[in-house]
């Protein structure tokens, strides 16, 4: 990553984290550390409001937008991502309601429930965060960019099964 890319990311991260949103962004610390340090992705974290299916309410949370490049097929990179997450201390949420065919899986760590969503260059969120992290990735010969969007909320018990 060039010095200019690091400066752009640092400026962008400061811009996205207003003082009142720091508690929200803290929910994503473990997810951001995982994608940056374990997987080696470029990432930006920002506060967000998440439509939580468990409570049927809008919940303050955060999102991590991450990008990396891989020489292997990007679906293999996603598989490796999910295989190593448990080794990093993440556990499955009590009621995950995953969408594995869409490469979305829920994990819990440090008081946060996080939905990890893999996507490749066939999809795009067209957000400023996505463009920033994607632009900061160096793509070598034969490599393709892939992304993760991680949305975290406070950890909660499993959803009620009652009517």
């Amino acid at each position: 990553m060039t010095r200019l890319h690091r400066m752009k990311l640092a400026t962008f991260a400061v811009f996205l984290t207003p003082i009142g949103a720091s508690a929200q962004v803290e929910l994503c610390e473990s997810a951001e550390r995982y994608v940056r340090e374990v997987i080696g992705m470029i990432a930006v974290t920002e506060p967000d409001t998440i439509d939580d299916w468990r409570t049927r309410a809008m919940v303050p949370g955060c999102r991590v937008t991450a990008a990396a490049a891989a020489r292997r097929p990007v679906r293999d990179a996603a598989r490796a991502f999910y295989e190593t997450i448990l080794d990093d201390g993440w556990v499955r949420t009590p009621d995950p309601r995953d969408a594995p065919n869409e490469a979305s899986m829920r994990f819990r760590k440090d008081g946060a429930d996080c939905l990890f969503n893999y996507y490749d260059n066939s999809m795009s969120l067209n957000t400023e965060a996505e463009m920033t992290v994607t632009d900061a990735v160096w793509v070598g010969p034969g490599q393709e960019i892939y992304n993760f969007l991680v949305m975290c909320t406070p950890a909660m018990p499993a959803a009620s099964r009652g009517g």
Side-chain angles (χ1 to χ4, degrees), residues 19-63:
I19 295 169
S22 64
Q24 282 176 258
V25 173
E26 286 175 10
L27 284 170
C28 282
E29 284 179 353
S30 291
E32 181 180 356
R33 188 203 57 76
Y34 176 71
V35 298
R36 281 183 190 270
E37 296 175 16
V38 176
I39 302 301
M41 300 180 87
I42 305 294
V44 170
T45 299
E46 56 192 323
D48 197 4
T49 303
I50 313 254
D51 187 358
D52 188 356
W53 58 267
R54 297 167 296 187
T55 60
R56 293 187 174 99
M58 299 304 283
V59 178
C62 54
R63 68 174 47 213

Side-chain angles (χ1 to χ4, degrees), residues 8 15 44 111 162:
K8 282 173 50 179
F15 174 73
V44 170

Side-chain angles (χ1 to χ4, degrees), residues 47-155:
D48 197 4
T49 303
I50 313 254
D51 187 358
D52 188 356
W53 58 267
R54 297 167 296 187
T55 60
R56 293 187 174 99
M58 299 304 283
V59 178
C62 54
R63 68 174 47 213
V64 178
T65 306
R71 182 166 275 115
R72 60 188 169 193
V74 290
R75 71 179 173 280
D76 292 345
R79 186 175 298 116
F81 182 98
Y82 288 125
E83 289 170 353
T84 61
I85 197 165
L86 297 173
D87 295 336
D88 191 55
W90 290 84
V91 297
R92 297 308 312 261
T93 58
D95 191 10
R97 293 198 188 179
D98 292 333
N101 291 336
E102 290 139 26
S104 295
M105 298 180 76
R106 292 180 190 276
F107 294 91
R108 174 177 286 179
K109 187 175 183 181
D110 298 331
D113 285 350
C114 299
L115 176 64
F116 289 81
N117 301 282
Y118 157 80
Y119 61 102
D120 62 21
N121 60 5
S122 66
M123 268 183 66
S124 179
L125 303 176
N126 292 318
T127 64
E128 191 168 341
E130 179 187 64
M131 289 183 267
T132 299
V133 296
T134 300
D135 287 348
V137 172
W138 183 82
V139 181
Q143 291 185 324
E144 292 182 53
I145 289 185
Y146 68 99
N147 298 80
F148 269 89
L149 174 65
V150 185
M151 296 179 291
C152 299
T153 60

